[in-house]
Amino acid sequence: SAELVQAAWSKARIRSMKTGQIFVFQYQPTSGRYRIEPWYAEDLLIEAGEGIDTTAPAAGSLSLLDELPEGIEFLTSITLSETRSLAVEGQLAEMNNSAGEENTWSAPVMFYPDGTTSTAEVILTNEYDDFVTLRLRGLTGIARIIDGLANQEAP
């Protein structure tokens, strides 16, 4: 499952560099659901007028809503906020609050057209309370999987 998320992050980074569009990764806590979608800045929407439908998947395959294998879920994450991501984080938090508690999504992990990303760490767990950590380095956009810990070994 960690490799699935790692691959999804890699694809989001590549799509961002190819399209010049910022992409956002989010997950639903204590579930296996996650999404990756392009982010439309307000200035782009103003310039495009009615030409962009932000509620529909952008260009077909650019948006992704997926789920981890059964029994695996996202436990928690840490994402370092940056000045350039604060507006996006605020708008996504506002959208999440208005959507209701059952549709809560994590803080966003951002993928930028210059190949950089948010600096983030996500922890996955299974039904046996084993953990696997994924780390994403913002400067390079490289994701690593850190060896998992069994419940008995966790601090």
mmCIF file of all heavy atoms in Angstrom, residues 123 129 131 133 148-155:
data_model
loop_
_atom_site.group_PDB
_atom_site.id
_atom_site.type_symbol
_atom_site.label_atom_id
_atom_site.label_comp_id
_atom_site.label_asym_id
_atom_site.label_seq_id
_atom_site.Cartn_x
_atom_site.Cartn_y
_atom_site.Cartn_z
ATOM 1 N N ILE A 123 1.533 8.271 7.560
ATOM 2 C CA ILE A 123 1.640 6.960 8.205
ATOM 3 C C ILE A 123 0.423 6.124 7.844
ATOM 4 O O ILE A 123 -0.719 6.569 7.993
ATOM 5 C CB ILE A 123 1.765 7.100 9.732
ATOM 6 C CG1 ILE A 123 3.020 7.901 10.077
ATOM 7 C CG2 ILE A 123 1.809 5.725 10.396
ATOM 8 C CD1 ILE A 123 3.177 8.221 11.542
ATOM 9 N N ASP A 129 -2.391 -3.151 13.562
ATOM 10 C CA ASP A 129 -1.733 -1.959 14.096
ATOM 11 C C ASP A 129 -0.248 -1.896 13.764
ATOM 12 O O ASP A 129 0.547 -1.358 14.528
ATOM 13 C CB ASP A 129 -1.952 -1.818 15.608
ATOM 14 C CG ASP A 129 -3.388 -1.479 15.951
ATOM 15 O OD1 ASP A 129 -4.046 -0.828 15.123
ATOM 16 O OD2 ASP A 129 -3.848 -1.865 17.038
ATOM 17 N N PHE A 131 2.678 -0.294 11.326
ATOM 18 C CA PHE A 131 2.794 1.023 10.725
ATOM 19 C C PHE A 131 3.848 1.050 9.627
ATOM 20 O O PHE A 131 4.858 0.374 9.723
ATOM 21 C CB PHE A 131 3.206 2.060 11.792
ATOM 22 C CG PHE A 131 2.278 2.116 12.961
ATOM 23 C CD1 PHE A 131 2.522 1.345 14.086
ATOM 24 C CD2 PHE A 131 1.166 2.926 12.938
ATOM 25 C CE1 PHE A 131 1.673 1.388 15.178
ATOM 26 C CE2 PHE A 131 0.315 2.976 14.020
ATOM 27 C CZ PHE A 131 0.566 2.211 15.144
ATOM 28 N N THR A 133 5.686 4.283 7.240
ATOM 29 C CA THR A 133 5.776 5.728 7.062
ATOM 30 C C THR A 133 6.302 6.051 5.668
ATOM 31 O O THR A 133 7.261 5.446 5.217
ATOM 32 C CB THR A 133 6.720 6.340 8.118
ATOM 33 O OG1 THR A 133 6.237 6.005 9.417
ATOM 34 C CG2 THR A 133 6.805 7.840 7.983
ATOM 35 N N GLY A 148 8.384 -0.355 8.362
ATOM 36 C CA GLY A 148 7.269 -0.324 9.288
ATOM 37 C C GLY A 148 7.640 -0.857 10.657
ATOM 38 O O GLY A 148 8.626 -1.578 10.829
ATOM 39 N N LEU A 149 6.845 -0.490 11.634
ATOM 40 C CA LEU A 149 6.991 -0.987 12.983
ATOM 41 C C LEU A 149 5.752 -1.775 13.364
ATOM 42 O O LEU A 149 4.641 -1.376 13.055
ATOM 43 C CB LEU A 149 7.138 0.179 13.976
ATOM 44 C CG LEU A 149 8.367 1.057 13.854
ATOM 45 C CD1 LEU A 149 8.243 2.249 14.806
ATOM 46 C CD2 LEU A 149 9.609 0.266 14.198
ATOM 47 N N ALA A 150 5.950 -2.880 14.024
ATOM 48 C CA ALA A 150 4.814 -3.625 14.562
ATOM 49 C C ALA A 150 4.308 -2.866 15.774
ATOM 50 O O ALA A 150 5.023 -2.074 16.391
ATOM 51 C CB ALA A 150 5.239 -5.038 14.954
ATOM 52 N N ASN A 151 3.081 -3.097 16.150
ATOM 53 C CA ASN A 151 2.454 -2.420 17.278
ATOM 54 C C ASN A 151 3.308 -2.521 18.539
ATOM 55 O O ASN A 151 3.439 -1.585 19.300
ATOM 56 C CB ASN A 151 1.062 -2.995 17.519
ATOM 57 C CG ASN A 151 0.299 -2.235 18.586
ATOM 58 O OD1 ASN A 151 0.502 -1.038 18.757
ATOM 59 N ND2 ASN A 151 -0.556 -2.920 19.299
ATOM 60 N N GLN A 152 3.938 -3.658 18.786
ATOM 61 C CA GLN A 152 4.740 -3.870 19.982
ATOM 62 C C GLN A 152 6.008 -3.019 19.966
ATOM 63 O O GLN A 152 6.568 -2.713 21.001
ATOM 64 C CB GLN A 152 5.141 -5.337 20.137
ATOM 65 C CG GLN A 152 3.984 -6.294 20.245
ATOM 66 C CD GLN A 152 3.426 -6.710 18.882
ATOM 67 O OE1 GLN A 152 3.742 -6.137 17.845
ATOM 68 N NE2 GLN A 152 2.546 -7.692 18.894
ATOM 69 N N GLU A 153 6.484 -2.641 18.779
ATOM 70 C CA GLU A 153 7.723 -1.885 18.650
ATOM 71 C C GLU A 153 7.507 -0.388 18.624
ATOM 72 O O GLU A 153 8.437 0.394 18.753
ATOM 73 C CB GLU A 153 8.464 -2.282 17.375
ATOM 74 C CG GLU A 153 8.815 -3.734 17.301
ATOM 75 C CD GLU A 153 9.373 -4.091 15.923
ATOM 76 O OE1 GLU A 153 9.802 -3.186 15.192
ATOM 77 O OE2 GLU A 153 9.350 -5.265 15.576
ATOM 78 N N ALA A 154 6.261 0.042 18.418
ATOM 79 C CA ALA A 154 5.981 1.463 18.284
ATOM 80 C C ALA A 154 6.259 2.185 19.595
ATOM 81 O O ALA A 154 6.028 1.651 20.660
ATOM 82 C CB ALA A 154 4.518 1.677 17.868
ATOM 83 N N PRO A 155 6.784 3.420 19.504
ATOM 84 C CA PRO A 155 7.102 4.168 20.720
ATOM 85 C C PRO A 155 5.879 4.549 21.505
ATOM 86 O O PRO A 155 4.814 4.669 21.042
ATOM 87 C CB PRO A 155 7.820 5.419 20.189
ATOM 88 C CG PRO A 155 7.548 5.489 18.741
ATOM 89 C CD PRO A 155 7.098 4.144 18.305
#
